[in-house]
């Protein structure tokens, strides 16, 4: 489902749910230490998207 956007880091995932968001213009992270470290470092909240599948 390519668009005008470059794929984000979700393009490397195996989950069909995550892959459908690989071309969103959002810098998505999976549930991982890197995401929490970045949020803490930048003093930003975690916005959680709970999918299905």
């Amino acid at each position: 489902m390519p668009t005008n956007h470059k794929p984000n880091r979700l393009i490397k995932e195996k989950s069909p749910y995550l892959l459908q968001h690989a071309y969103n213009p959002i810098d998505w992270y999976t549930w991982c230490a890197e995401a929490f470290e970045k949020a803490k470092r930048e003093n930003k909240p975690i916005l959680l998207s709970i999918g299905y599948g």
Side-chain angles (χ1 to χ4, degrees):
M1 122 194 294
T3 66
N4 293 332
H5 301 288
K6 290 176 19 180
N8 58 39
R9 69 180 46 81
L10 297 183
I11 198 70
K12 297 177 183 175
E13 298 298 320
K14 293 185 179 8
S15 161
Y17 175 75
L18 294 177
L19 285 170
Q20 75 180 353
H21 298 289
Y23 286 91
N24 289 169
I26 297 170
D27 191 17
W28 291 114
Y29 282 77
T30 58
W31 188 268
C32 63
E34 182 184 7
F36 292 102
E37 291 164 4
K38 181 176 180 176
K40 184 175 183 179
R41 184 175 59 251
E42 296 180 6
N43 194 30
K44 292 183 178 176
I46 295 286
L47 301 177
L48 179 64
S49 174
I50 299 176
Y52 54 87

